[in-house]
Amino acid sequence: MNRNRFARQILMFGEKGQNKIEAQRVAVVGAGGLGSQLCQALAYTGIRSIGVIDDDRLDETNMNRVAGALPSDVGRRKVEVAKEHILKINPEAEVIAIPRNLRTREALEFLLKCTHICGAVDHDGPRLVLTELAAAYGIPLIDATTEIFPEAEGRPFDFGGRVVVATPGDYCLFCADQLDRELAKEELETPEVRADRRKHGYGLGSDLPAPSVFALNGILANAAVMEFIVMTTGIREAARHLTYKGMRGVMVSRDSKRNPDCYTCATCGQRDNVNIWRYLLPEGVENFAA
Ligand SMILES: [Zn+2]
């Protein structure tokens, strides 16, 4: 590896820190607006092994926010575009593109081989799967999300996002109150059950496209990768819960602790006993949102 490429960050991380970063294997789940910028920022760290999981393809409306995607990439798989972008930045990286739903054996088995998981998913369903898997198998999960709320009746315009660093046994998205178990369970139901629930007008929120902006995704994606860097190099412990408040232009680190009654944190290290395989999609089901 050409060390000169990393000379300026070795001045911050030290050779030892840089070597530690390079030795990690990180999975990025979701390769859209947020995930593509996670891939980009991870590639610039010099990390040697990155896996990207997403079963979606790029459409024209993605062009405002997918790092590395050009208009000529419309129709291509998001993971293939992410892989190309990572390799342009760091040709020596091993990039594993998994064009499958998170809830497939290929995707879940890959996650179990990673040192860290970065979550960039749109729904609480996959967020629950990642949370349970990360706790059970002792893999740190760095989960990022952004939110933009257009002005609505009784609510002013607002925007922002957050990064939660879930360290197994120490803290998770449930401790952070950032995961709705009931909503997640609904999202993980079979397509038939979901269709039936929709028909009867229950839950699952809106299918309308959510607002999304490259710069906002960049703030949260880079904050997430910064936490990966500080925890890996030993510069400091990761912040458990960072919140970006867009209307005030500030990043706030919440003084958060594990909920002593958190069931998920208590399953730390229980591996196959937690049976994450129950989340596998039924045979033949593909392109299942959430
Ligand atoms: Zn917890």
Side-chain angles (χ1 to χ4, degrees):
M1 176 156 305
N2 181 352
R3 305 302 287 174
N4 254 346
R5 283 174 43 213
F6 301 109
R8 297 300 185 94
Q9 66 196 41
I10 289 171
L11 293 175
M12 176 176 176
F13 310 152
E15 280 281 352
K16 237 179 169 176
Q18 180 65 30
N19 289 339
K20 276 187 189 161
I21 287 174
E22 289 177 19
Q24 308 306 311
R25 172 182 262 187
V26 180
V28 177
V29 183
L34 199 53
S36 64
Q37 291 210 55
L38 285 166
C39 289
Q40 175 178 272
L42 288 166
Y44 277 114
T45 66
I47 193 170
R48 297 252 179 84
S49 185
I50 303 177
V52 197
I53 298 170
D54 197 315
D55 62 356
D56 204 6
R57 290 176 185 272
L58 288 165
D59 67 33
E60 206 156 31
T61 70
N62 296 136
M63 289 300 120
N64 76 320
R65 65 184 186 284
V66 174
L70 303 171
S72 56
D73 290 320
V74 168
R76 295 183 63 204
R77 288 201 177 274
K78 290 178 177 175
V79 290
E80 292 299 334
V81 173
K83 179 176 178 172
E84 274 179 21
H85 191 48
I86 294 166
L87 288 173
K88 275 182 195 155
I89 295 165
N90 184 6
E92 285 155 279
E94 171 204 36
V95 188
I96 301 104
I98 301 177
R100 306 295 306 276
N101 192 285
L102 168 66
R103 295 169 62 192
T104 55
R105 192 164 284 278
E106 193 182 348
L108 293 180
E109 281 180 350
F110 177 75
L111 291 179
L112 300 185
K113 292 186 276 188
C114 292
T115 58
H116 300 73
I117 300 169
C118 289
V121 296
D122 294 334
H123 299 280
D124 273 3
R127 214 167 266 134
L128 173 65
V129 176
L130 292 179
T131 295
E132 289 192 3
L133 179 147
Y137 291 87
I139 304 167
L141 168 67
I142 306 171
D143 189 84
T145 190
T146 63
E147 284 180 320
I148 300 173
F149 300 105
E151 189 178 349
E153 228 171 288
R155 197 181 63 192
F157 175 85
D158 197 10
F159 72 101
R162 59 107 187 110
V163 175
V164 169
V165 181
T167 306
D170 174 70
Y171 195 64
C172 77
L173 285 158
F174 285 116
C175 295
D177 202 17
Q178 293 292 310
L179 187 46
D180 182 333
R181 195 182 289 274
E182 288 313 306
L183 177 63
K185 279 186 182 162
E186 284 175 19
E187 286 177 353
L188 294 170
E189 283 163 348
T190 64
E192 295 76 34
V193 175
R194 279 157 56 111
D196 193 54
R197 189 186 291 274
R198 275 227 171 81
K199 205 166 71 192
H200 293 95
Y202 296 125
L204 290 175
S206 163
D207 279 339
L208 292 174
S212 192
V213 173
F214 186 86
L216 179 60
N217 290 333
I219 290 171
L220 281 307
N222 285 295
V225 174
M226 200 66 230
E227 292 312 308
F228 162 76
I229 289 171
V230 297
M231 68 199 276
T232 302
T233 56
I235 289 173
R236 63 162 166 78
E237 282 184 12
R240 290 189 178 101
H241 192 169
L242 292 174
T243 308
Y244 175 64
K245 297 184 179 297
M247 289 305 282
R248 284 169 46 208
V250 294
M251 186 79 81
V252 183
S253 179
R254 288 203 202 167
D255 186 21
S256 309
K257 291 226 159 52
R258 173 182 166 181
N259 173 354
D261 300 324
C262 177
Y263 175 76
T264 302
C265 283
T267 64
C268 177
Q270 290 191 14
R271 303 176 76 89
D272 288 343
N273 292 336
V274 171
N275 189 20
I276 52 150
W277 310 106
R278 72 190 188 281
Y279 292 123
L280 287 174
L281 286 173
E283 207 66 40
V285 175
E286 288 284 343
N287 296 322
F288 183 67

